[in-house]
């Protein structure tokens, strides 16, 4: 491009330092793309004025879908015609984020031809984020991505694109096949993913073990986290090898166990597995000596979210242990029951975690036909919203009311 | 049991009547249909009707803090 890039002293500050800079990337793209060039100018103006110059487009999309496109227009189209339309496309990523270099080149070719050339690999939901295109390019891009077997992801009040850790493909701690579950749920809930019908968004994230590398316990409405229900596997020879090489097992492993369920007599480690809370610390520190048990499955948790309407929430356990075997029908049936209740009773923009807080976990579990079990809580009497009615005599309630 | 087309027509009328007055969510439409037609309608039928309305272009999904179904129109934020 012959024209020089706009002067951007404010943005230039964000190029300083040893870390990657989005400004540097936009400048690189701006040498070829008028959209990226105008984006630089618009951003610089916003930084100077401390005012955003984006308008939210609520209608743009592709025929038949209600999600996957986030409409954006600038309110300064005459000054920055390149970003007059600057819609974002969310593309459903492959489970585990595995690509061939060939397919990445093809995606980039489409985006350089029909969009700004700017991408975000990947967004917080895990999707491929393609930043900036015009309304008339949406259908052609959708068609061309479809020819590469890519589909749009979720946006709006729908199932957001399910995502997972790399699971069994690369990690020895994976207690179930996260990629298979992610693919299966994505295929099963296509209608819910593309046609928003919920009070608000609903996210699935699959982690293969309690290390929870995709932070599902904090970032997804339904967290499916791998675990085991038998004993941690111990190789005592490997334990001694760690000790011989200088590891202070009492201090660094036993002393850091949150449930104090371990001991080390100088030769062997012993674990009281019924007290283990699956924190993974000992296994992470001594990977050659300790491994998750052999009877593996997952814990299902519900309700986490980032602070948008209400404050941040972590997920609560609703199924302490379930075997993860195709076709995962028990999980799908439970998800449908949860959605039915939430859609029926949930308020607009109320996440399922907020809904649970409003109606009470006990009522929620009862309506969703989920049995209350002691493993849902870490300590007795910790959870104030689950009541075991069989432990109360009828008179107890009367006394309370009278008092 | 009602047909998908009958439910779709009733939903389309409901959205048309509400245009300019209230934005309707897909669940608003489904609840209204089940209330109106009782046992002759269920959630599955409502889902199919919405899919038909959107695939035919008679209604479009919109997002304004939540997802709604509306008649196609030029949005206020759009630049030509």
């Amino acid at each position: 491009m012959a024209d020089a890039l706009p002067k951007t002293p404010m943005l230039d500050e964000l190029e300083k330092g040893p870390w990657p800079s989005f400004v540097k990337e936009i400048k690189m793209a701006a040498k070829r793309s008028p959209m990226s060039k105008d984006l630089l100018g618009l951003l610089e103006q916003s930084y100077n004025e401390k005012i955003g110059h984006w308008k939210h487009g609520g209608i743009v999309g592709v025929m038949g879908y209600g999600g996957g496109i986030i409409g954006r227009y600038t309110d300064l189209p005459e000054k920055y015609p390149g970003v007059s339309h600057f819609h974002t496309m969310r593309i459903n990523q492959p489970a585990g984020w595995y690509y061939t270099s060939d397919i990445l080149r093809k995606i980039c070719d489409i985006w350089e031809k029909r969009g700004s050339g700017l991408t975000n690999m990947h967004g917080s939901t895990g999707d491929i984020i393609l930043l900036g295109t015009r309304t008339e390019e949406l259908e052609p891009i959708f068609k061309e991505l479809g020819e590469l077997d890519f589909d749009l992801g979720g946006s709006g009040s729908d199932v957001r694109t399910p995502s997972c850790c790399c699971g069994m493909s690369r990690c020895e701690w994976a207690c179930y096949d996260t990629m298979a579950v992610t693919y299966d749920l994505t295929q099963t809930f296509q209608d819910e993913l593309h046609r928003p019908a919920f009070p608000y968004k609903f996210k699935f994230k699959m982690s293969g073990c309690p290390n929870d590398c995709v932070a599902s316990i904090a970032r997804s409405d339904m967290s499916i986290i791998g675990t085991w229900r038998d004993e941690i596997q111990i190789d005592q020879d490997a334990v001694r090898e760690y000790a011989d090489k200088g590891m202070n097992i009492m201090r660094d492993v036993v002393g850091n166990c949150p449930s104090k369920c371990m001991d080390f007599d100088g030769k062997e480690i012993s674990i009281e597995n019924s007290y283990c809370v699956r924190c993974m610390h000992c296994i992470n520190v001594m990977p050659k000596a300790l491994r998750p048990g052999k009877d593996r499955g997952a814990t299902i948790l519900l309700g986490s979210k980032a602070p948008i309407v209400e404050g941040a929430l972590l997920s609560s356990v609703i199924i302490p242990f379930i075997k993860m075997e195709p076709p995962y029908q028990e999980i799908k049936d439970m998800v449908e029951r949860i959605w039915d209740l939430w859609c029926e009773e949930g308020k607009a923009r109320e996440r399922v975690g907020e809904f649970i807080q409003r109606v009470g976990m006990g009522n929620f579990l009862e309506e969703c036909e989920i049995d209350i079990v002691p493993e849902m809580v870490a300590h007795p009497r910790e959870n104030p919203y689950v009541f075991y009615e069989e432990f109360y005599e009828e008179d107890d309630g009367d006394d309370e009311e009278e008092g | 049991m009602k047909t998908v087309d009958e439910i779709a027509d009733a939903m389309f009328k409901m959205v048309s009547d509400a245009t300019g007055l209230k934005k309707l969510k897909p669940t608003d439409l489904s609840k209204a249909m089940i209330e109106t037609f009782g046992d002759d309608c269920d959630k599955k039928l409502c889902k199919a009707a919405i899919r038909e309305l959107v695939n035919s272009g008679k209604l479009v999904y919109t997002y304004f803090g939540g997802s709604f179904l509306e008649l196609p129109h030029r949005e206020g934020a759009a630049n030509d």
Side-chain angles (χ1 to χ4, degrees):
Chain A
M1 187 179 298
D3 297 347
L5 296 182
K7 298 269 184 237
T8 55
M10 295 283 276
L11 292 179
D12 294 348
E13 292 295 314
L14 297 173
E15 285 189 281
K16 295 174 182 172
W19 37 79
S21 163
F22 73 93
V23 174
K24 186 178 163 193
E25 300 299 323
I26 297 175
K27 283 184 177 177
M28 279 168 64
K31 290 172 186 167
R32 300 185 300 276
S33 156
M35 284 185 116
S36 298
K37 187 182 161 198
D38 276 353
L39 179 64
L40 277 176
L42 182 77
L43 271 180
E44 180 70 15
Q45 181 165 340
S46 283
Y47 277 44
N48 273 310
E49 297 174 350
K50 297 186 173 66
I51 294 172
H53 286 288
W54 294 117
K55 296 186 286 182
H56 180 55
I59 294 181
V60 287
V62 297
M63 181 66 102
Y65 280 29
I69 312 285
I70 297 99
R72 287 283 182 276
Y73 303 94
T74 178
D75 62 0
L76 301 170
E78 290 81 19
K79 190 172 180 185
Y80 302 107
V83 289
S84 169
H85 298 204
F86 201 74
H87 310 314
T88 294
M89 296 186 81
R90 283 199 188 135
I91 313 300
N92 193 329
Q93 81 285 9
W97 299 289
Y98 284 100
Y99 303 94
T100 61
S101 55
D102 179 55
I103 208 77
L104 286 175
R105 284 193 186 93
K106 285 175 177 165
I107 293 170
C108 290
D109 286 346
I110 293 171
W111 197 240
E112 288 198 342
K113 181 178 161 196
R114 299 193 178 278
S116 70
L118 295 170
T119 66
N120 173 9
M121 304 285 274
H122 297 81
S124 59
T125 313
D127 305 79
I128 303 167
I129 307 290
L130 303 179
L131 292 158
T133 191
R134 295 187 60 81
T135 305
E136 60 271 22
E137 296 287 3
L138 293 173
E139 289 288 355
I141 292 166
F142 179 55
K143 180 175 175 291
E144 289 176 21
L145 287 169
E147 287 164 1
L148 300 178
D149 285 338
F150 278 92
D151 195 0
L152 293 186
S155 70
S157 303
D158 62 10
V159 168
R160 298 301 180 86
T161 316
S163 71
C164 62
C165 68
C166 59
M168 289 177 166
S169 67
R170 283 178 60 197
C171 179
E172 59 193 317
W173 305 143
C175 294
Y176 72 95
D177 191 343
T178 54
M179 291 168 65
V181 174
T182 300
Y183 180 76
D184 194 301
L185 293 180
T186 304
Q187 296 299 332
T188 302
F189 297 126
Q190 279 289 294
D191 199 72
E192 288 77 6
L193 206 161
H194 297 308
R195 297 175 188 87
F198 295 153
Y200 206 14
K201 63 185 93 167
F202 190 95
K203 299 178 180 180
F204 288 103
K205 290 200 195 302
M206 276 54 75
S207 284
C209 79
N211 277 331
D212 196 10
C213 290
V214 290
S216 66
I217 198 167
R219 302 197 305 141
S220 62
D221 297 273
M222 178 166 281
S223 328
I224 304 179
I225 302 177
T227 189
W228 63 94
R229 62 179 168 184
D230 57 349
E231 299 179 347
I232 291 176
Q233 301 179 68
I234 308 174
D235 179 343
Q236 299 291 4
D237 290 336
V239 171
R240 282 188 285 277
E241 199 180 322
Y242 274 112
D244 292 345
K245 287 183 177 170
M247 179 183 279
N248 187 336
I249 293 176
M250 278 307 287
R251 186 192 65 195
D252 297 337
V253 182
V254 175
N256 284 330
C257 175
S259 57
K260 307 295 177 207
C261 70
M262 312 183 75
D263 202 2
F264 179 60
D265 63 5
K267 290 178 184 172
E268 292 194 344
I269 264 185
S270 57
I271 301 174
E272 178 48 61
N273 280 275
S274 60
Y275 289 169
C276 173
V277 292
R278 313 296 191 267
C279 77
M280 290 293 287
H281 174 75
C282 60
I283 295 175
N284 291 333
V285 177
M286 306 174 77
K288 289 180 183 170
L290 303 174
R291 305 180 66 78
K294 291 178 180 171
D295 187 8
R296 299 177 179 188
T299 297
I300 300 181
L301 306 94
L302 194 69
S304 70
K305 58 176 279 295
I308 298 180
V309 181
E310 299 274 335
L313 293 172
L314 291 180
S315 289
S316 300
V317 173
I318 56 166
I319 304 287
F321 185 87
I322 187 168
K323 295 295 274 187
M324 296 299 287
E325 289 160 354
Y328 319 108
Q329 198 54 50
E330 201 178 332
I331 296 173
K332 291 172 190 170
D333 290 345
M334 181 184 67
V335 167
E336 297 271 9
R337 292 198 300 274
I338 290 169
W339 286 347
D340 279 349
L341 178 65
W342 179 45
C343 287
E344 193 68 34
E345 305 292 343
K347 294 178 182 175
R349 285 170 68 80
E350 183 175 50
R351 295 284 285 272
V352 74
E354 293 160 344
F355 173 66
I356 291 170
Q357 284 201 321
R358 180 164 63 83
V359 302
M361 178 63 100
N363 296 328
F364 176 82
L365 293 173
E366 193 177 331
E367 288 296 318
C368 292
E369 299 166 33
I370 298 168
D371 290 335
I372 297 171
V373 292
E375 289 85 354
M376 286 176 179
V377 297
H379 305 286
R381 291 178 294 281
E382 179 186 271
N383 191 324
Y385 44 65
V386 175
F387 296 98
Y388 295 87
E389 289 174 6
E390 60 267 36
F391 294 115
Y392 291 92
E393 298 292 335
E394 279 182 21
D395 288 349
D396 293 347
D398 295 342
D399 290 345
E400 204 169 285
E401 279 172 23
E402 285 166 14
Chain B
M1 204 67 161
K2 293 283 177 189
T3 65
V4 172
D5 286 341
E6 286 172 319
I7 299 295
D9 287 345
M11 283 181 169
F12 183 74
K13 184 173 184 313
M14 195 177 158
V15 173
S16 302
D17 291 348
T19 297
L21 301 171
K22 186 177 190 295
K23 290 183 194 295
L24 296 170
K25 299 191 291 289
T27 39
D28 295 331
L29 297 177
S30 299
K31 280 181 188 172
M33 293 302 114
I34 290 167
E35 201 176 311
T36 306
F37 298 113
D39 291 341
D40 289 336
C41 180
D42 60 20
K43 284 180 182 171
K44 208 171 161 186
L45 199 58
C46 291
K47 243 182 180 180
I50 288 171
R51 194 180 311 142
E52 183 175 295
L53 286 165
V54 173
N55 287 346
S56 66
K58 289 176 81 175
L59 296 182
V60 291
Y61 283 104
T62 62
Y63 183 83
F64 297 97
S67 294
F68 302 94
L69 281 165
E70 295 184 62
L71 298 178
H73 61 278
R74 185 187 179 282
E75 66 181 321
N79 297 324
D80 292 323

